[in-house]
Amino acid sequence: GDSVTQMEGPVTLSEEAFLTINCTYTATGYPSLFWYVQYPGEGLQLLLKATKADDKGSNKGFEATYRKETTSFHLEKGSVQVSDSAVYFCALSDRYGNNRLAFGKGNQVVVIP
Amino acid sequence: DSGVTQTPKHLITATGQRVTLRCSPRSGDLSVYWYQQSLDQGLQFLIQYYNGEERAKGNILERFSAQQFPDLHSELNLSSLELGDSALYFCASREGRDTDTQYFGPGTRLTVL
């Protein structure tokens, strides 16, 4: 079935550093792709999405581009802040499965002042 | 605030017991999805309802069941609870038939002792 793979391990970086979190997917057809963010003690918030190849999703300084040729949807931010510390999940929407979401394992991001 | 509400926020119970988790979708959303988040399994899709009817099933145990009522709120029933059922349970609602974005509630944290 459809699946999402995120890079292993937490990400620790200094304030104003560049952030990249890798995400690759396996899917039948052309799913929509999402990044969700989970702040401590809270639920999942939609960060950005892309619905077709070459689409770029963006929000709050974060960006990700739907790359069909490499089946990837990497998340980037040019200058992180302490408030960006959270867990980030990559997900795809299975259009053949009533749009259920398949999630990656998530990456803990810690931004140090 | 996503507009999706879940109650209770926390639930502590004993093995063998039965609990009910409640979810109210965003106003106008007909689809409700349930997900389980655990340390070992990550975020997994359990079940989906659309306008009162079950539409898709994922990794949902036979001890678990759900329903969606005429007012569109949904309940997830977990019975014969085991220690391994301890997890965060999220519901999400989808905007509509033509979109695939899901909005998540704050979750119910279930602890089985």
Side-chain angles (χ1 to χ4, degrees), chain A:
Chain A
D2 294 359
S3 64
V4 174
T5 301
Q6 288 182 238
M7 50 194 274
E8 293 284 332
V11 178
T12 303
L13 58 169
S14 300
E15 203 165 23
E16 298 183 3
F18 185 86
L19 170 69
T20 300
I21 304 176
N22 289 340
C23 170
T24 57
Y25 67 90
T26 303
T28 306
Y30 306 100
S32 291
L33 300 174
F34 304 84
W35 279 98
Y36 282 86
V37 58
Q38 186 175 29
Y39 296 101
E42 296 186 15
L44 294 163
Q45 296 179 26
L46 178 66
L47 182 58
L48 53 84
K49 66 179 277 190
T51 58
K52 60 184 188 299
D54 300 324
D55 265 3
K56 177 186 281 189
S58 61
N59 185 27
K60 300 181 182 179
F62 289 90
E63 291 183 342
T65 301
Y66 191 142
R67 301 281 188 208
K68 181 166 162 284
E69 63 276 12
T70 54
T71 61
S72 65
F73 192 56
H74 305 320
L75 183 68
E76 297 182 336
K77 186 175 185 183
S79 176
V80 293
Q81 306 300 314
V82 171
S83 57
D84 294 324
S85 298
V87 181
Y88 292 81
F89 292 92
C90 184
L92 65 80
S93 176
D94 178 0
R95 292 190 178 136
Y96 297 100
N98 291 87
N99 295 114
R100 70 181 74 181
L101 292 174
F103 287 90
K105 290 190 180 301
N107 286 102
Q108 172 86 51
V109 171
V110 177
V111 181
I112 300 168

Side-chain angles (χ1 to χ4, degrees), chain B residues 60-78:
Chain B
I60 188 165
L61 299 171
E62 283 193 14
R63 301 183 284 108
F64 296 1
S65 64
Q67 53 185 325
Q68 186 179 27
F69 295 86
D71 66 352
L72 300 178
H73 91 271
S74 177
E75 293 180 356
L76 180 66
N77 301 296
L78 316 177

Side-chain angles (χ1 to χ4, degrees), chain A residues 31-32 34 36 38 41-46 49 51 89 93 95 97-105, chain B residues 9 33 35 37 40-41 43 45 48 55-58 88 90 94 99-107:
Chain A
S32 291
F34 304 84
Y36 282 86
Q38 186 175 29
E42 296 186 15
L44 294 163
Q45 296 179 26
L46 178 66
K49 66 179 277 190
T51 58
F89 292 92
S93 176
R95 292 190 178 136
N98 291 87
N99 295 114
R100 70 181 74 181
L101 292 174
F103 287 90
K105 290 190 180 301
Chain B
K9 196 170 171 66
Y33 297 76
Y35 295 86
Q37 185 180 31
D40 52 345
Q41 300 288 333
L43 267 159
F45 166 72
Q48 180 220 353
R55 285 297 178 91
K57 256 183 171 176
L88 254 177
F90 289 108
R94 183 158 60 95
T99 71
D100 49 15
T101 301
Q102 293 181 30
Y103 294 91
F104 282 74

